[in-house]
Amino acid sequence: MPAPVPIIDIHCHTAGIGAGASGCFVSRAMRRNVRFHFFLKAFGVTERELIELGDTLVLERLSQGLAESHRVSAAVVLAMDGVVDRQGRLDKAATEIYIPNEFLARECRRLGNLLFGASVNPYRPDALERLDRITAYGAVLLKWLPAIQGIDPADRRLAPFYRRLRELELPLLSHTGNEESFTRSDNSLADPLRLRRALDEGVTVIAAHCASNGRNDGQSNLERLLPLFTTYPNLYADLSSLTQANRLGHLPRVLQHVEIYERLLYGSDMPIINSFVTSPWWHAYRLPLAETRRIVAIRNPWDRDVELKRALGVTEEMLGNSGKLLAEKGKLKAALMVKNRITREEIVS
């Protein structure tokens, strides 16, 4: 029997409060929200630890957890650009979470099993230059959360941005479906049909969470997403968050569509997989009791997530699709080259 294929998690988050001069920040409203402490607990850190040891601690804990995983070999960790004002400047008052590319790229370069997932708000006046810069940093994809960042993927002004993404062969991982992790959002911007402009420009688009919740124009977002797979061979979707308690039944619903199996990518939505929200017990009504107990007993969150998704019907081929896509785009080789490009100054420091 062949060994299981190494898996790359294409959807992994980090967090930071600005400790250790990271440049990250979390808004006051978000820090007062119960979600903030929930996320820190799921990352396995405390606010005091971050203040004392710096925001790099979250990434080090992620890297350590991956090193202990038997199934997942690496994860794409996602930056988060902020909202920008009419002049294209970062609007801190409207931004809830900010994780700068420079900080994350540096730390992913240092930690061997973390891959850099960049974020650039396309309304920045120097957005195209930023795309070139993150590519030089070793970015393997670009992440958007339109409902939070105030980005309309259907905006015709974004055509030059999309063309540059296509030229750089940089996939766009864009949230689809309702966003419920922040204190405010405009979920109309997460309508999967708004991604058609990027798809028409030839961008490889990954619909995060497979548009698994919410509605637009009287249709479920999943219903709006599915026909796009037939029209656009450059469309993919990730399976992150589909085992959450508030999305019961979504993963089996997606897996009914055998025709899109080659376009489904493994993503964890870490740190959510390290919380009660994705406990296998929520799925006990679908799984044999012994199987549920076996999965619950798995300590590593990535291994537990993989086994739960397999038990619910995700195939080994699907689990390998993330790595296959990034390799086809040349992003894995490029990221490795960046990791190995150590300058004299870095060695001295």
Side-chain angles (χ1 to χ4, degrees):
M1 182 176 178
V5 63
I7 300 167
I8 292 179
D9 176 1
I10 207 163
H11 195 134
C12 177
H13 294 283
T14 187
I17 59 174
S22 68
C24 302
F25 70 80
V26 178
S27 71
R28 288 183 180 179
M30 192 66 183
R31 288 181 77 153
R32 288 194 299 264
N33 193 283
V34 67
R35 296 180 184 91
F36 175 67
H37 299 285
F38 166 80
F39 288 136
L40 289 186
K41 183 177 180 181
F43 277 122
V45 301
T46 65
E47 190 170 1
R48 176 176 291 182
E49 284 181 311
L50 293 184
I51 293 170
E52 292 177 354
L53 301 173
D55 291 340
T56 58
L57 180 65
V58 177
L59 294 160
E60 289 166 357
R61 295 269 167 91
L62 289 174
S63 180
Q64 180 182 357
L66 282 166
E68 294 168 353
S69 170
H70 296 290
R71 293 305 317 272
V72 181
S73 58
V76 180
V77 185
L78 305 172
M80 176 70 79
D81 201 357
V83 179
V84 299
D85 61 22
R86 291 183 179 181
Q87 287 72 44
R89 298 171 301 197
L90 181 65
D91 186 345
K92 286 191 174 184
T95 298
E96 296 208 62
I97 292 180
Y98 178 68
I99 301 167
N101 290 314
E102 293 76 12
F103 162 71
L104 186 58
R106 182 179 70 245
E107 295 306 312
C108 286
R109 182 174 176 177
R110 181 173 65 88
L111 298 164
N113 52 9
L114 302 186
L115 299 170
F116 171 40
S119 184
V120 174
N121 191 314
Y123 296 125
R124 287 183 179 272
D126 62 344
L128 299 186
E129 290 81 359
R130 286 174 182 256
L131 288 182
D132 291 338
R133 197 152 61 241
I134 62 170
T135 302
Y137 291 163
V140 300
L141 57 78
L142 184 79
K143 172 67 190 315
W144 279 355
L145 218 171
I148 304 304
Q149 294 171 302
I151 300 168
D152 180 3
D155 191 337
R156 65 182 61 192
R157 293 175 296 169
L158 303 188
F161 188 90
Y162 289 143
R163 290 169 194 151
R164 191 65 185 131
L165 275 181
R166 183 194 64 215
E167 291 167 1
L168 295 170
E169 293 193 90
L170 203 59
L172 171 63
L173 173 64
S174 188
H175 183 104
T176 52
N178 284 3
E179 172 52 59
E180 300 165 349
S181 298
F182 294 80
T183 64
R184 60 178 182 269
S185 63
D186 178 358
N187 285 315
S188 68
L189 298 176
D191 180 351
L193 291 185
R194 290 183 179 267
L195 295 171
R196 287 178 297 185
R197 188 172 299 278
L199 291 163
D200 285 335
E201 291 289 350
V203 177
T204 296
V205 175
I206 305 166
H209 316 302
C210 212
S212 59
N213 65 353
R215 302 178 70 82
N216 276 284
D217 292 336
Q219 264 188 317
S220 76
N221 282 318
L222 179 59
E223 289 177 301
R224 294 167 78 77
L225 174 68
L226 288 170
L228 298 180
F229 284 101
T230 301
T231 307
Y232 298 104
N234 48 326
L235 175 63
Y236 296 80
D238 79 30
L239 299 173
S240 64
S241 83
L242 297 194
T243 59
Q244 290 180 202
N246 61 334
R247 302 190 192 210
L248 292 180
H250 282 297
L251 181 56
R253 193 172 298 122
V254 169
L255 295 180
Q256 290 174 3
H257 298 274
V258 180
E259 71 279 5
I260 66 171
Y261 277 16
E262 291 184 352
R263 315 272 199 90
L264 297 177
L265 311 177
Y266 174 71
S268 72
D269 209 17
M270 181 71 178
I272 301 297
I273 58 166
N274 197 32
S275 72
F276 72 92
V277 175
T278 54
S279 169
W281 286 117
W282 294 110
H283 304 272
Y285 72 103
R286 287 186 174 271
L287 304 175
L289 181 58
E291 178 73 346
T292 305
R293 285 176 170 166
R294 179 187 72 83
I295 299 170
V296 168
I298 298 172
R299 297 189 63 182
N300 184 275
W302 278 280
D303 290 348
R304 188 169 58 249
D305 185 56
V306 167
E307 287 303 301
L308 177 56
K309 285 173 177 167
R310 287 189 67 226
L312 292 171
V314 174
T315 67
E316 285 291 330
E317 288 75 17
M318 276 185 256
L319 293 171
N321 283 344
S322 297
K324 181 180 177 183
L325 174 65
L326 294 179
E328 287 174 351
K329 296 295 180 184
K331 297 307 174 186
L332 294 183
K333 183 177 180 181
L336 182 61
M337 290 174 64
V338 169
K339 284 179 182 292
N340 290 336
R341 197 182 303 138
I342 302 175
T343 66
R344 175 180 173 81
E345 289 77 13
E346 288 170 322
I347 294 172
V348 170
S349 63

